[in-house]
Amino acid sequence: MRIALIHALAHSVAPINEELERRWPEAVRMNLLDDSLSADLARNGAGLDATMHQRFEDLTAYAERTGARAILFTCSAFGPCIEAAAARRPHMPVLKPNEAMVADAVAHGGHVGLIASFGPTLESMPPEFPPGTVLATRLADGALEALNQGDTERHDALVIEAAQRLADQGCDVIALAQFSMARAQMAVHRAVGLPVLTTPGSAVRLLRHRLGA
């Protein structure tokens, strides 16, 4: 069973592949990386325009042609582009990176704390939560830059700092928005003593369920 993983950040590749290796080693993984997507979005004032939508449709169509049974995007700032591609393919799961984690966070109940290391995510992702969700957001400012420089210790420290601020606001569960942040899950849990959800963990559970594996 082939699962296509489409990435906009190189840092997202390892976390989801490691989670699949742990939780679903039988799945055949293919990885598509276009690291210009996030860079172009960050500097493009047009945002998720028609050109960006077409790029996501092209990536999705290519993955489907290779025989993928499901497609998981790992780039959290492109929700509307992914939704459009999914709407054209009701015959197969085409998942946004966060939809499984959003469902898990809502099921947990209470006050949800959402942390991102990529600023545009905090614009695109909150609307994915159902109306009435009590949600607080926090940018782990500088964490992604630290990861880009290979400074994983500083990355994790900045994510922990953001989680502590959300815990101080009364959050009951912490959700880490970026796949690249999953590496900090246990450190965050130890620091704040709250349940910590990651996008790879929730996504693999949902994929297995949707494909009956």
Side-chain angles (χ1 to χ4, degrees):
M1 186 176 297
R2 174 175 288 193
I3 308 298
L5 308 168
I6 303 181
H7 316 280
L9 289 171
H11 300 303
S12 302
V13 178
I16 184 59
N17 279 274
E18 290 167 2
E19 187 70 19
L20 280 162
E21 183 62 33
R22 283 193 299 269
R23 307 297 183 190
W24 197 7
E26 302 84 6
V28 177
R29 307 186 297 274
M30 68 171 288
N31 290 274
L32 300 176
L33 169 64
D34 180 354
D35 59 5
S36 71
L37 290 166
S38 291
D40 289 348
L41 178 62
R43 63 172 170 256
N44 183 3
L48 300 178
D49 58 9
T51 298
M52 188 65 75
H53 274 264
Q54 186 60 53
R55 291 171 70 179
F56 272 76
E57 171 59 25
D58 292 344
L59 286 165
T60 307
Y62 174 77
E64 184 178 13
R65 287 197 302 271
T66 69
R69 292 279 304 280
I71 299 170
L72 171 65
F73 286 88
T74 67
C75 33
S76 58
F78 300 90
C81 297
I82 300 166
E83 289 170 1
R88 298 185 184 98
R89 295 166 178 83
H91 55 282
M92 67 185 298
V94 178
L95 303 185
K96 293 183 293 184
N98 303 308
E99 64 182 274
M101 188 179 71
V102 167
D104 286 347
V106 171
H108 184 278
H111 191 171
V112 178
L114 176 67
I115 304 174
S117 59
F118 183 55
T121 296
L122 294 183
E123 299 174 12
S124 66
M125 188 174 170
E128 297 179 21
F129 285 82
T133 302
V134 182
L135 181 68
T137 64
R138 191 84 187 177
L139 177 66
D141 196 18
L144 185 58
E145 291 76 12
L147 200 59
N148 287 336
Q149 295 164 9
D151 191 346
T152 55
E153 184 175 340
R154 176 164 172 75
H155 169 272
D156 294 358
L158 290 169
V159 175
I160 289 169
E161 179 183 346
Q164 289 170 329
R165 291 181 178 273
L166 290 173
D168 290 342
Q169 292 178 234
C171 290
D172 301 299
V173 59
I174 300 295
L176 304 180
Q178 260 73 52
F179 275 65
S180 56
M181 297 168 66
R183 53 164 290 107
Q185 179 184 24
M186 291 310 300
V188 171
H189 174 68
R190 288 193 295 268
V192 300
L194 297 174
V196 180
L197 302 175
T198 70
T199 40
S202 294
V204 170
R205 284 192 294 273
L206 180 59
L207 277 174
R208 293 197 63 165
H209 174 72
R210 291 282 298 274
L211 292 173

